Amino acid sequence: MSSIGVVNFSSEPGSVEIREIEKPTIGEDDVLLEVANVGVCGSDLHQWTSDHSWPVNYPVVLGHEFGGHIAALGKKVSGWKEGDRVVSETAAIIDLNSPLTRQGLYNLDPTRKGFGYGVNGAMTRFVKVPARCLHAVPENLPFEQACLTEPCSVAYNAVVMNSKIKPGDRVIVLGPGTIGILCAAVARLCGAEVAVVGLEADRERLNIAKQYGCEGIVGDASAWANKQDGLGVDCVIDAAGASATLKIALQLVRPNGHITKVGWGPQPLNFSLDPLVQKNVTLQGSFSHNWPIWEKVLSLLASGTLDVKPIIGGVWELKDWHEAFDQMHSGKVVKSVLKPS
């Protein structure tokens, strides 16, 4: 039995198309997941436009933000049953004996391979998922919101785990994409005053950031950064997909402040890091997420404390993937969601 899938088939720009996909064969520790909804991530767009900076196993089905119902279970899988509502983490392949995995930091295991670039992802009807990746989705949480647990977990890791933002802190987020706006929303939950910074083309997305109680700024954010005491903000979260924004972050952050970089940018920096030294600034990378973060985020989503509805720009059928990608790529919407089945 086959179904259609959105496949990234080479490193040439634009190498994404609908192809027939065979139903996966699951192993004894896997489940077969029937996908209800799958979010389009900025990294899917980067693979489509071929300006990504990570290795891809071509051809590969895109999609790593997904949830659905369990359709079949491997013979060693326990604790789950057919029909269960679940979302899946992204770490499809990890080394269970890695020192990092044994610490629970399997997201940082160098051998980790994720859905949508390392193994086939969820922009299709059925996907093979290791049972260890699963989390139960509460009945009151619709899948078009639950499938965004993954980017919410990226934001939670960046803001809560890697930035340690305190109530009353002033925070600037660079980049009003999905991750940027979600980082801003989580920073607001931490009690911070938050501004989200973008370009002229980002005005619509900045208006969505305002729905989370954030300031939206086009261009230079220096005035907002220096408004309180002239020294800059406590924390800058760099969620833009370009390397050059790190220079802006160094200008906006206060001495002894903190920069968390969560956005990827393959370009060389081409500027001095002396301001990092002179200002005594902490520069922190933040990558992915792990099991306890997913559990926290699901509880925030189910309670409505973290509301992802404002960022969802629409739900498209799988065959209309190009429009869904284009709407996000052009900045018309923050997040596109696909419905494969």
Side-chain angles (χ1 to χ4, degrees):
M1 176 185 171
S2 66
S3 53
I4 62 169
V6 180
V7 176
N8 182 198
F9 56 87
S10 94
S11 60
E12 288 295 309
S15 297
V16 173
E17 65 184 13
I18 290 281
R19 290 187 177 181
E20 287 285 319
I21 303 295
E22 286 300 312
K23 190 174 182 178
T25 303
I26 61 170
E28 57 188 13
D29 295 312
D30 302 321
V31 304
L32 186 68
L33 189 64
E34 184 167 11
V35 181
N37 286 108
V38 52
V40 180
C41 177
S43 63
D44 296 313
L45 301 181
H46 282 305
Q47 285 179 223
W48 175 45
T49 53
S50 199
D51 55 1
H52 58 286
S53 54
W54 51 88
V56 177
N57 288 336
Y58 303 106
V60 70
V61 179
L62 291 172
H64 61 266
E65 306 174 356
F66 62 99
H69 298 91
I70 295 176
L73 298 99
K75 63 184 180 184
K76 281 192 175 179
V77 175
S78 61
W80 300 101
K81 63 183 186 302
E82 287 184 22
D84 279 352
R85 304 176 82 243
V86 294
V87 285
S88 170
E89 294 187 36
T90 54
I93 296 175
I94 56 173
D95 177 4
L96 293 174
N97 293 314
S98 157
L100 288 160
T101 301
R102 286 173 177 250
Q103 292 177 66
L105 298 175
Y106 49 84
N107 54 311
L108 304 180
D109 172 16
T111 66
R112 172 194 181 277
K113 288 185 171 61
F115 294 104
Y117 72 91
V119 303
N120 280 339
M123 288 186 187
T124 184
R125 186 174 174 192
F126 293 103
V127 61
K128 179 179 84 167
V129 177
R132 62 175 171 76
C133 291
L134 299 177
H135 294 260
V137 174
E139 286 294 333
N140 68 321
L141 187 61
F143 276 120
E144 66 180 53
Q145 296 170 43
C147 74
L148 303 187
T149 308
E150 195 276 339
C152 291
S153 296
V154 171
Y156 190 100
N157 192 32
V159 174
V160 179
M161 309 304 291
N162 284 321
S163 301
K164 311 293 191 292
I165 290 167
K166 302 182 295 299
D169 280 357
R170 289 169 61 77
V171 175
I172 279 179
V173 178
L174 302 177
T178 300
I179 300 302
I181 291 177
L182 289 174
C183 282
V186 175
R188 290 286 295 147
L189 292 180
C190 294
E193 289 181 69
V194 183
V196 182
V197 182
L199 305 173
E200 187 63 44
D202 295 321
R203 281 193 184 273
E204 287 180 51
R205 298 197 289 187
L206 290 170
N207 284 334
I208 290 167
K210 290 177 185 175
Q211 294 183 44
Y212 290 100
C214 303
E215 187 91 13
I217 298 173
V218 172
D220 185 8
S222 301
W224 195 91
N226 295 317
K227 181 179 171 185
Q228 192 167 46
D229 60 8
L231 291 172
V233 292
D234 298 283
C235 179
V236 179
I237 296 169
D238 182 353
S243 301
T245 48
L246 184 60
K247 188 174 185 179
I248 297 168
L250 283 166
Q251 291 162 0
L252 297 174
V253 73
R254 70 193 294 108
N256 209 39
H258 188 101
I259 298 169
T260 299
K261 184 158 174 55
V262 64
W264 293 69
Q267 311 86 357
L269 286 178
N270 293 325
F271 63 85
S272 170
L273 287 177
D274 283 354
L276 182 84
V277 180
Q278 185 180 26
K279 282 186 166 183
N280 204 81
V281 167
T282 303
L283 176 60
Q284 172 74 48
S286 186
F287 177 67
S288 193
H289 30 64
N290 59 5
W291 193 89
I293 291 172
W294 278 69
E295 289 291 300
K296 294 283 190 194
V297 166
L298 277 163
S299 68
L300 289 171
L301 291 172
S303 68
T305 307
L306 180 58
D307 182 7
V308 293
K309 291 193 293 292
I311 68 168
I312 299 172
V315 180
W316 284 264
E317 290 185 33
L318 210 58
K319 65 181 177 58
D320 299 320
W321 71 270
H322 196 283
E323 185 188 348
F325 277 40
D326 207 47
Q327 290 281 309
M328 257 181 82
H329 188 58
S330 65
K332 290 191 180 75
V333 304
V334 175
K335 173 62 70 174
S336 297
V337 173
L338 297 175
K339 188 170 177 59
S341 52

